[in-house]
Amino acid sequence: MVIDKVRLGAFLEKLAAEIVAREDWGKVADYIPELAKVDPAQFAVSMVLADGTELNAGATDQRFSIQSVSKVFTLASVLGRQGESVWVRVGREPSGDRFDSILLLEQEKGRPRNPFINAGAIVTTDELLAGRTPREALSEILIFLRDAAEDEDIQIDEKVAASEKRTGFRNAALANYLASFGNLKNPPEMTLGTYFHQCAIEMTTLQLARAGRSIAQLPVSARMLLPERARRICSLMMTCGHYDGSGDFAFRVGLPGKSGVGGGILLIAPKRASIALWSPGLNGYGNSQMGTYAAERIARFTGWSVFG
Ligand code: GLN
């Protein structure tokens, strides 16, 4: 199906206006005090199509904390650097538990279910750190994002990183638990500090949609992943990208997506579009409430689905 870009652009504008007029935003993440200050009544969507066309609606120049969306790029960096060896340390199954749950970690002897729950992402960050300093590991993720987005102006918000460090007791528990099973190569505080900084990267939806071109395998992407790798990352986004809400997201949207508690969602229509959504209010799973709603509306409007 050839997409009518003018109609799609108009649809996004209308959708943004409709969402801004609503009141059921969900709740901003308050366990990271710096994120609790963000006004939930905000929305932005940016989309890059296969021919490079960019469509934007809402607050697309507003920077937000990408949080767990960063886990996609850390995984891509780790796989790019050392291939598939990371799968010894982390699985590829949905967890069915909250993103910060410790439950399965005990039962499964310290091998997290997947790289998108916190425990799994702490392991991929730890893997990226092997043989390098936190600064070097973080700069690898930033370089990936800057190259992919063709934009040097992508930074870490130190205030958010420090805020999460002060209250990140659960993540500290997860890191220590991983270490107790011998599944951490670096001191827990070093891996955690790097993880908090990676989560505190801030971007606009336009920057994120541009960075996502690499995952969406768009020919206009400035940085390409191996096609097989991009497909596998997408499969993990589909099955695990929204934690215990992944099944519901797949049912409603039918496209791979990765959320973050800052309210961002990176949504991929493979070979068709890279889409970034942002609305800081969260649903009960810790995923953007209006971002999920908008993803569902976009999938219905375009007819895009990985299920045909
Ligand atoms: N930095 C957040 C945390 O570790 C990321 C979680 C998320 O975005 N779901 O709790």
Side-chain angles (χ1 to χ4, degrees), residues 158-182:
E158 289 290 340
K159 276 214 302 235
V160 172
S163 176
E164 181 163 13
K165 187 172 176 206
R166 272 196 301 278
T167 57
F169 305 114
R170 272 179 175 262
N171 285 321
L174 291 171
N176 281 291
Y177 219 55
L178 287 163
S180 80
F181 283 106

Side-chain angles (χ1 to χ4, degrees), residues 209-273:
R210 286 180 178 161
R213 297 175 302 189
S214 55
I215 317 275
Q217 301 180 69
L218 302 189
V220 292
S221 181
R223 186 157 183 162
M224 283 307 222
L225 297 180
L226 293 173
E228 182 187 64
R229 186 153 292 151
R231 284 196 290 270
R232 286 180 151 179
I233 291 175
C234 281
S235 75
L236 290 167
M237 290 170 77
M238 178 65 97
T239 52
C240 313
H242 283 71
Y243 321 112
D244 46 340
S246 298
D248 191 51
F249 191 87
F251 183 84
R252 289 171 63 185
V253 183
L255 294 171
K258 182 73 207 83
S259 69
V261 287
I265 296 178
L266 176 62
L267 185 68
I268 301 295
K271 302 204 170 151
R272 290 176 157 147

Side-chain angles (χ1 to χ4, degrees), residues 287-301:
N287 303 318
S288 174
Q289 173 126 312
M290 283 302 127
T292 304
Y293 168 73
E296 185 177 9
R297 292 282 309 274
I298 289 168
R300 200 175 303 156
F301 180 88

Side-chain angles (χ1 to χ4, degrees), residues 86-92 111-115 119-121 123-124 183:
V86 69
W87 302 121
V88 175
R89 303 181 60 194
V90 62
R92 303 189 289 253
R111 182 173 179 259
R113 276 280 174 104
N114 68 67
V123 166
T124 48
N183 198 6

Side-chain angles (χ1 to χ4, degrees), residues 31-32 35 65-71 99-100 116-118 122 160 164 168 170-171 174 195-196 198-200 243 258-263 282 285-287:
Y31 73 100
I32 302 175
L35 296 184
S65 196
I66 68 167
Q67 292 295 321
S68 287
V69 181
S70 65
K71 295 170 180 173
F99 63 88
D100 55 0
F116 294 154
I117 51 172
N118 286 6
I122 291 170
V160 172
E164 181 163 13
R170 272 179 175 262
N171 285 321
L174 291 171
Y195 170 78
F196 292 147
Q198 150 203 322
C199 289
Y243 321 112
K258 182 73 207 83
S259 69
V261 287
L282 308 178
Y285 301 115
N287 303 318

Side-chain angles (χ1 to χ4, degrees), residues 16-293:
E18 178 208 313
I19 287 179
V20 168
R22 290 175 67 135
E23 279 169 12
D24 48 341
W25 298 96
K27 270 186 70 216
V28 293
D30 53 8
Y31 73 100
I32 302 175
E34 208 53 35
L35 296 184
K37 297 181 188 163
V38 179
D39 176 7
Q42 303 188 76
F43 175 77
V45 54
S46 297
M47 191 183 287
V48 188
L49 302 176
D51 67 358
T53 304
E54 294 180 343
L55 302 170
N56 290 287
T60 52
D61 52 2
Q62 180 73 44
R63 286 170 200 273
F64 62 93
S65 196
I66 68 167
Q67 292 295 321
S68 287
V69 181
S70 65
K71 295 170 180 173
V72 174
F73 298 98
T74 312
L75 178 65
S77 300
V78 165
L79 292 171
R81 187 168 167 233
Q82 61 214 47
E84 308 292 315
S85 58
V86 69
W87 302 121
V88 175
R89 303 181 60 194
V90 62
R92 303 189 289 253
E93 293 295 341
S95 71
D97 281 326
R98 284 192 64 77
F99 63 88
D100 55 0
S101 175
I102 202 166
L103 261 176
L104 291 169
L105 212 49
E106 168 148 37
Q107 278 168 18
E108 298 179 358
K109 304 200 169 36
R111 182 173 179 259
R113 276 280 174 104
N114 68 67
F116 294 154
I117 51 172
N118 286 6
I122 291 170
V123 166
T124 48
T125 302
D126 185 64
E127 189 73 21
L128 194 68
L129 261 175
R132 35 177 72 184
T133 64
R135 187 178 293 274
E136 287 165 342
L138 288 166
S139 94
E140 180 158 344
I141 303 172
L142 283 171
I143 288 169
F144 188 106
L145 286 170
R146 289 172 184 158
D147 284 356
E150 292 177 280
D151 192 337
E152 288 303 301
D153 191 15
I154 296 173
Q155 328 284 350
I156 292 170
D157 184 338
E158 289 290 340
K159 276 214 302 235
V160 172
S163 176
E164 181 163 13
K165 187 172 176 206
R166 272 196 301 278
T167 57
F169 305 114
R170 272 179 175 262
N171 285 321
L174 291 171
N176 281 291
Y177 219 55
L178 287 163
S180 80
F181 283 106
N183 198 6
L184 222 52
K185 293 179 178 168
N186 300 283
E189 55 289 358
M190 186 198 266
T191 300
L192 270 181
T194 311
Y195 170 78
F196 292 147
H197 278 81
Q198 150 203 322
C199 289
I201 293 171
E202 51 169 20
M203 294 170 82
T204 64
T205 51
L206 181 57
Q207 289 174 326
L208 185 57
R210 286 180 178 161
R213 297 175 302 189
S214 55
I215 317 275
Q217 301 180 69
L218 302 189
V220 292
S221 181
R223 186 157 183 162
M224 283 307 222
L225 297 180
L226 293 173
E228 182 187 64
R229 186 153 292 151
R231 284 196 290 270
R232 286 180 151 179
I233 291 175
C234 281
S235 75
L236 290 167
M237 290 170 77
M238 178 65 97
T239 52
C240 313
H242 283 71
Y243 321 112
D244 46 340
S246 298
D248 191 51
F249 191 87
F251 183 84
R252 289 171 63 185
V253 183
L255 294 171
K258 182 73 207 83
S259 69
V261 287
I265 296 178
L266 176 62
L267 185 68
I268 301 295
K271 302 204 170 151
R272 290 176 157 147
S274 168
I275 304 158
L277 299 139
W278 172 62
S279 182
L282 308 178
N283 62 22
Y285 301 115
N287 303 318
S288 174
Q289 173 126 312
M290 283 302 127
T292 304
Y293 168 73

